[in-house]
Amino acid sequence: MAREASLQKFRQEAGDQEDTLLAGFFMWPASEIRPDAMLGSNLEALDPLRSQLRCFIGWEPDHSRLKILSGHRDSLGKAICRIRGTIGEVTARRIRPQKLFLVEHLESRTARREVELVAWAAPPSQLLAANLLTSACVVPVLAGPAAERRHHEAWDVLQADVALSNEGRLRSAMTGVLANIPPYRGYVSARVHFGVLCLTAYRKPTGSNHTLEDFTSMLGNAQTDGELIKNLEYEEDGTSLISFCRQASDWLDPVDAMTRSLADVEPHYSASFHLAPFGNSGSMRLDVAFVEASPGSFDMSLQRWLRTEDSALARDPLTGQWRGRMPLAACVMDLQRRTAWQFEIVTGNRMEEGRITPVMRDFADSIRLRAVATKGDDGTTKTSMSFSADELRVEGRAERTHYRYLLKNSTYLLEITRNRHFPAAKAGVSMKAQTTWEASLYNMEWDTTFQEQLTLRIGEAGSWKPDLDTFFPSSAAGEGREGRDGFSAFLEQVRVVVELLARRKSGKPDVLDGQGEGGPRKEKGNGEGK
């Protein structure tokens, strides 16, 4: 009660007290962003400063500035400093998303030297969101002849230069984006995802194929665009994929030191609910996660409410559901292994505590996960999720089962995820769920670092140092890599996963799939994207 009374006092004008208070001013760039758009019509976003620092804050439109009044010089200085921090947040939110497309250096002297663009054919089980991916999408594959023996030495030199150039560009892109993240208040996540790159905007070759050099140059064009399709294309239950991981003891370890073998790794569970606007909340997403409290019994370990926006750039190309804004998507194609990996930083607007209504809380509390069978054919618990959404409209949801493994002799995790996508019901009829399987790589310290962004007060910034050493320390490189540059060691670990996934179709980690570079021939793309 006293806190609310104090807040109401400092929301008013200072009145007769003004002559006895210290005054400070902050010039606001109103031509770039209106203060009410960032801070609210009554500057209510600054209410925490008003109550914590006991100061009056008002807007002077004639001078395009904020006026701060306080009886204490220290409080006045802190208020101005925190208001200055809001400009850093504006910058973080308005940073232009950066996309980077690179081609991994080719290790083999016998690799083909041309790139063919083949039409992408989505598997029947693939979810395809209208207007996000079209029949014009193409997948690049190696084609054409190999280099003559007399050119092998020059080829080795060229590919070494490519590797150095790629690493330099990745370092630069990641450093630039990370520098803007500390003032961002909200959800931030970093992951490496694996899949197939589909080009949606590209230049057709002058002949039947691009030369490798011409293709690499084309990817650097600002008009080139594409999407990483994060689907390992496994059958719905993924039994063969999990069996493959259980055999990969030369590559993987259990994350939990108490787990005896890869066969004993137990899955984790999570879900995301995409909800229609309710009250003044706007469109939103609820993320939940569960832990197994006892055999067959699960407790909710996470509730995270995010505000979503209607933007094609923030929607997943397969499901059409909101995935968050992506300040960085750095994609590297490994043409020899017919795969691609993408380092992503994703952000989302947190839902302010005051906007989470009792109806929303009741919905979150209604979500239950229960075991429906002790063990299935793959040896893991089978589960079912239930919820009650009487007053909220669920526009789609995804239920996920996560299998987490530790890369051998490192601190990086390989996560294999089964996604069951449930589109919104049409005319009261539930739509059939469709399943995709994904692979991602990350360090749990990334999540720990970014967790601070969810608890920042307005004008504050994360206390972590926004550089590559923070996210890719040499200590994460693992045994045998002591003293190595952490970022270079991280790239090595990514390549380990690429190699492992290249072997997955054989069903055995020690056997390649044998389909050769470029894979089976498909119909050529017949036009440019977009």
Side-chain angles (χ1 to χ4, degrees):
M1 184 74 71
R3 181 180 177 182
E4 181 61 27
S6 174
L7 177 58
Q8 290 300 328
K9 170 186 174 182
F10 289 106
R11 276 178 174 171
Q12 310 300 319
E13 293 184 2
D16 295 339
Q17 303 178 62
E18 184 166 347
D19 292 340
T20 65
L21 298 174
L22 298 170
F25 301 91
F26 185 86
M27 306 305 296
W28 187 272
S31 59
E32 296 182 28
I33 183 167
R34 302 193 328 271
D36 59 310
M38 178 70 184
L39 307 174
S41 58
N42 295 311
L43 308 182
E44 55 267 23
L46 299 179
D47 281 350
L49 273 66
R50 288 168 166 146
S51 59
Q52 293 162 18
L53 301 175
R54 300 182 63 80
C55 59
F56 298 90
I57 304 175
W59 172 246
E60 295 187 337
D62 293 342
H63 301 287
S64 189
R65 67 187 185 186
L66 294 169
K67 183 176 182 179
I68 306 97
L69 298 170
S70 175
H72 302 279
R73 186 177 299 277
D74 184 56
S75 294
L76 182 64
K78 288 180 179 179
I80 293 175
C81 185
R82 292 271 293 277
I83 292 172
R84 184 183 297 113
T86 64
I87 300 299
E89 183 177 4
V90 170
T91 302
R93 291 182 179 278
R94 300 181 69 183
I95 182 175
R96 182 179 179 181
Q98 186 171 165
K99 271 192 173 184
L100 185 66
F101 299 106
L102 301 172
V103 177
E104 182 72 275
H105 66 284
L106 302 181
E107 299 165 351
S108 173
R109 289 180 168 185
T110 59
R112 302 171 190 177
R113 302 298 192 262
E114 295 180 0
V115 178
E116 180 182 1
L117 303 180
V118 299
W120 177 63
S125 62
Q126 193 102 341
L127 294 164
L128 187 61
N131 302 322
L132 293 181
L133 291 176
T134 70
S135 59
C137 296
V138 296
V139 176
V141 297
L142 286 179
E148 298 177 16
R149 183 180 297 273
R150 60 193 175 93
H151 293 147
H152 282 180
E153 187 172 334
W155 176 259
D156 292 343
V157 173
L158 174 63
Q159 293 308 302
D161 289 343
V162 169
L164 285 174
S165 174
N166 283 351
E167 182 168 335
R169 295 181 66 185
L170 286 168
R171 285 177 182 271
S172 177
M174 293 183 187
T175 299
V177 173
L178 285 173
N180 287 285
I181 297 297
Y184 182 88
R185 294 183 305 132
Y187 170 71
V188 184
S189 174
R191 291 289 187 274
V192 178
H193 290 281
F194 300 85
V196 175
L197 177 67
C198 283
L199 294 177
T200 56
Y202 53 91
R203 186 181 70 239
K204 291 190 295 184
T206 54
S208 57
N209 298 322
H210 284 285
T211 64
L212 185 59
E213 293 77 6
D214 181 57
F215 176 73
T216 302
S217 175
M218 184 262 288
L219 289 181
N221 189 303
Q223 301 303 313
T224 300
D225 202 1
E227 287 284 351
L228 184 74
I229 306 303
K230 306 167 187 174
N231 188 6
L232 299 181
E233 300 179 16
Y234 271 85
E235 70 277 10
E236 183 168 341
D237 64 9
T239 302
S240 62
L241 177 58
I242 301 305
S243 175
F244 171 82
C245 291
R246 287 173 175 168
Q247 297 177 61
S249 56
D250 289 341
W251 305 71
L252 307 172
D253 281 325
V255 175
D256 187 349
M258 302 300 292
T259 302
R260 293 178 298 174
S261 70
L262 295 174
D264 297 322
V265 170
E266 291 290 339
H268 295 71
Y269 303 92
S270 69
S272 293
F273 293 81
H274 299 269
L275 304 166
F278 179 80
N280 65 348
S281 65
S283 297
M284 51 194 166
R285 187 181 84 184
L286 171 64
D287 296 332
V288 296
F290 296 87
V291 294
E292 191 167 16
S294 59
S297 176
F298 300 90
D299 291 339
M300 188 177 292
S301 60
L302 169 73
Q303 283 188 21
R304 180 173 57 226
W305 289 93
L306 300 174
R307 292 185 289 115
T308 64
E309 67 276 0
D310 185 17
S311 167
L313 293 176
R315 290 158 56 198
D316 186 273
L318 294 183
T319 66
Q321 297 292 354
W322 182 84
R323 65 181 177 188
R325 194 170 180 270
M326 201 177 295
L328 176 64
C331 185
V332 179
M333 280 172 282
D334 189 323
L335 294 172
Q336 283 184 265
R337 295 171 178 80
R338 304 187 314 282
T339 190
W341 61 270
Q342 183 164 282
F343 183 89
E344 298 178 357
I345 294 179
V346 175
T347 61
N349 296 325
R350 67 181 180 183
M351 182 75 71
E352 294 84 356
E353 191 70 22
R355 291 193 178 190
I356 302 176
T357 66
V359 169
M360 295 162 62
R361 296 184 194 279
D362 289 345
F363 168 72
D365 292 340
S366 76
I367 301 171
R368 295 284 185 273
L369 183 70
R370 62 185 181 89
V372 295
T374 305
K375 296 291 181 182
D377 295 336
D378 61 357
T380 58
T381 303
K382 299 300 180 183
T383 60
S384 175
M385 189 171 292
S386 62
F387 57 91
S388 176
D390 295 335
E391 297 185 57
L392 294 176
R393 188 171 84 249
V394 178
E395 295 187 325
R397 75 180 193 275
E399 298 179 5
R400 304 183 186 92
T401 305
H402 309 271
Y403 298 83
R404 294 168 182 160
Y405 308 94
L406 195 65
L407 286 189
K408 207 81 173 177
N409 299 322
S410 86
T411 60
Y412 289 102
L413 273 66
L414 171 63
E415 184 169 278
I416 304 296
T417 302
R418 179 197 187 202
N419 296 285
R420 298 188 70 213
H421 305 277
F422 295 82
K426 294 183 177 180
V429 179
S430 297
M431 304 294 287
K432 181 181 178 181
Q434 296 195 50
T435 300
T436 60
W437 286 86
E438 296 180 8
S440 61
L441 177 74
Y442 65 100
N443 190 322
M444 285 191 289
E445 289 300 316
W446 298 352
D447 292 350
T448 301
T449 298
F450 285 140
Q451 183 67 25
E452 183 181 359
Q453 306 308 116
L454 281 167
T455 59
L456 294 177
R457 298 174 298 180
I458 190 165
E460 292 183 334
S463 59
W464 48 274
K465 190 175 181 181
D467 60 19
L468 295 185
D469 288 339
T470 298
F471 288 86
F472 309 103
S474 57
S475 60
E479 296 178 14
R481 298 182 179 89
E482 292 83 356
R484 284 291 310 279
D485 172 75
F487 187 74
S488 296
F490 158 72
L491 293 180
E492 283 186 11
Q493 296 299 328
V494 173
R495 293 183 186 113
V496 166
V497 176
V498 169
E499 179 67 22
L500 180 61
L501 294 178
R503 299 166 182 260
R504 73 188 190 275
K505 289 186 180 179
S506 71
K508 297 181 179 180
D510 57 347
V511 178
L512 285 168
D513 60 26
Q515 294 187 26
E517 300 164 343
R521 291 294 210 197
K522 298 180 182 179
E523 178 189 354
K524 279 198 175 187
N526 56 5
E528 296 187 9
K530 292 187 182 177

